[in-house]
Amino acid sequence: MLLALTATAVPAPRAHAVNGSTSPCALQGQGTTVNEGQNTDYTQFLDPLGVKNVGVVYVDFPDAAGAGDVADYYNLLTPAADWVWNASYGKTGLSMRPVVNRWIRMPSASNAYGTSSPTYQQHTRYVTDALRAAADAGADLARYDLFYIVSTAHSQVSGSHTWYWTPTQPIVIKGATIRWAVTFGTDMWHWGHKVAAHETAHVFGAPDLYAFSGDQHRYAGGWDVMGHVAGAAPQYFGWLSWKFGWTGDDQTVCVWQNRTQNTATLNGVEYVGGTKLLVVRTGATTAYVAEARRKAHNDSGACSSGVVIYKVDTSVTNGQGPIRVVPNPDAAAPPAGCGTLDMASWQPGQTFYDRAANVQFTVRSADAHNSTVNAIKW
């Protein structure tokens, strides 16, 4: 079922900030909305690094009174803090707390805000109404970097969405400028805390990796929560970790010149430390990436482990496959609950070769935590 786990489109200024990378393989983003480029406008998006104060707002409606104890909603979302902490290697903290520890009544019925797929105007109205009501109830909105707005379980707000501010037309409520919010719909009861991990990464500038039409998971399978929220291996791709500044240039091996090669021992992206990425740049906006994945931590339920190889294209838009996992033709058949791409990890002795791009990856060896991979650019 297609659920609205998307970033609402919004006009944005030209990107001007970067994550500090000086690597020749640090591809730049194309356009000014969410993308896989290393350049991120931290006026438009929230800088991922450090502790982020997250204000939780519980809203109900004239047609849907608050259902149950607000603590149940809070407890459903709070594991996202540990999830993001682990994914970021302790570099990003989500400090969540209710702005007012009770239901706050919205001025309009729950179907007045666009329910599953709101326009930017409808979404802005929803965020404005919720935070104005919270401020009227005594909340100090200026204390928070980001807001999680949680609707009652019986409302008609079905989809979860990320809201970004428009710097030229900001929302200002009692002196506080509102920049970022996530609105959670009834789908949170299906996805749990990983819907917060997905939407919060949008706030940081990450795009959706699932397809907006057709087979949703044909690009990334279940390898990243930005693709399949309920995927078996939802840890963010190492490329996204590099974009966010969680992985440094010193943990990335770059091959960009023709007739060159390099070999790297890649530590699983689930673990702290070590080399994380072997990148072969193939064009102005394209690269192949190899990373090691293991059944550990956020990926403890992974369908397979080994080396995942994928292509990044920063010119490809949100929902159209900016990251595409390379299938492994020699992979085992997927067991129940797993898809073909979920099995697409490469093992020692296996080689991937793209003749058009003249790029080759060969997995040399592996142990419980690491895989040694050779990359060649002809």
Side-chain angles (χ1 to χ4, degrees):
M1 179 179 179
L2 179 61
L3 294 179
L5 290 164
T6 62
T8 302
V10 55
R14 183 172 299 277
H16 68 268
V18 297
N19 66 358
S21 175
T22 58
S23 169
C25 288
L27 305 177
Q28 300 304 291
Q30 307 299 301
T32 56
T33 57
V34 289
N35 63 69
E36 289 293 347
Q38 298 290 333
N39 52 320
T40 304
D41 180 0
Y42 291 132
T43 298
Q44 183 67 48
F45 302 105
L46 179 61
D47 186 338
L49 298 176
V51 176
K52 309 304 168 187
N53 293 313
V54 182
V56 182
V57 182
Y58 310 103
V59 297
D60 66 0
F61 307 85
D63 63 316
D69 191 331
V70 294
D72 294 335
Y73 294 72
Y74 184 77
N75 292 335
L76 187 67
L77 289 178
T78 51
D82 284 341
W83 200 97
V84 171
W85 180 261
N86 289 332
S88 69
Y89 315 115
K91 295 180 180 178
T92 299
L94 302 178
S95 178
M96 301 184 208
R97 57 184 181 274
V99 302
V100 178
N101 202 27
R102 61 175 174 80
W103 293 110
I104 296 172
R105 179 58 54 91
M106 294 286 278
S108 300
S110 61
N111 63 1
Y113 299 102
T115 62
S116 64
S117 299
T119 65
Y120 182 68
Q121 290 71 28
Q122 289 172 320
H123 203 202
T124 299
R125 179 187 170 197
Y126 184 22
V127 171
T128 303
D129 284 357
L131 296 183
R132 182 172 290 124
D136 289 344
D140 180 3
L141 303 181
R143 299 173 60 187
Y144 303 100
D145 304 301
L146 167 66
F147 295 93
Y148 286 172
I149 300 172
V150 184
S151 67
T152 180
H154 300 313
S155 78
Q156 296 186 59
V157 179
S158 58
S160 296
H161 300 273
T162 303
W163 180 88
Y164 313 99
W165 73 317
T166 302
T168 56
Q169 296 178 312
I171 297 174
V172 180
I173 299 173
K174 295 189 176 181
T177 299
I178 311 304
R179 293 177 172 84
W180 302 285
V182 174
T183 58
F184 293 97
T186 56
D187 59 351
M188 68 178 280
W189 297 100
H190 178 74
W191 301 118
H193 68 274
K194 284 193 287 185
V195 72
H198 176 106
E199 297 296 340
T200 302
H202 280 321
V203 176
F204 297 154
D208 287 307
L209 299 182
Y210 65 88
F212 284 178
S213 62
D215 177 3
Q216 281 187 278
H217 306 304
R218 67 182 183 271
Y219 298 137
W223 287 109
D224 189 309
V225 74
M226 302 311 295
H228 192 353
V229 178
Q235 174 90 1
Y236 304 116
F237 280 123
W239 179 271
L240 190 59
S241 176
W242 190 24
K243 172 183 172 71
F244 286 167
W246 299 340
T247 292
D249 283 1
D250 59 343
Q251 297 176 285
T252 302
V253 176
C254 174
V255 177
W256 76 98
Q257 294 176 318
N258 291 333
R259 296 178 296 280
T260 58
Q261 64 176 307
N262 213 323
T263 299
T265 297
L266 303 174
N267 184 246
V269 298
E270 300 82 6
Y271 304 113
V272 176
T275 300
K276 297 300 183 191
L277 300 173
L278 177 55
V279 183
V280 180
R281 183 165 183 162
T282 56
T285 66
T286 58
Y288 273 108
V289 182
E291 65 184 45
R293 301 295 287 259
R294 295 296 186 267
K295 296 182 181 183
H297 303 302
N298 287 347
D299 283 348
S300 60
C303 296
S304 68
S305 62
V307 174
V308 175
I309 301 170
Y310 51 92
K311 185 175 182 178
V312 178
D313 189 340
T314 61
S315 71
V316 175
T317 57
N318 189 44
Q320 304 302 314
I323 287 181
R324 302 189 180 196
V325 171
V326 175
N328 183 350
D330 297 319
C338 299
T340 300
L341 280 185
D342 298 332
M343 307 302 293
S345 57
W346 296 71
Q347 309 304 319
Q350 295 182 334
T351 295
F352 164 70
Y353 181 33
D354 182 334
R355 294 182 182 277
N358 284 325
V359 171
Q360 177 179 296
F361 287 95
T362 300
V363 183
R364 300 297 191 195
S365 62
D367 59 30
H369 296 88
N370 307 285
S371 293
T372 299
V373 184
N374 173 259
I376 301 174
K377 184 177 183 183
W378 302 102

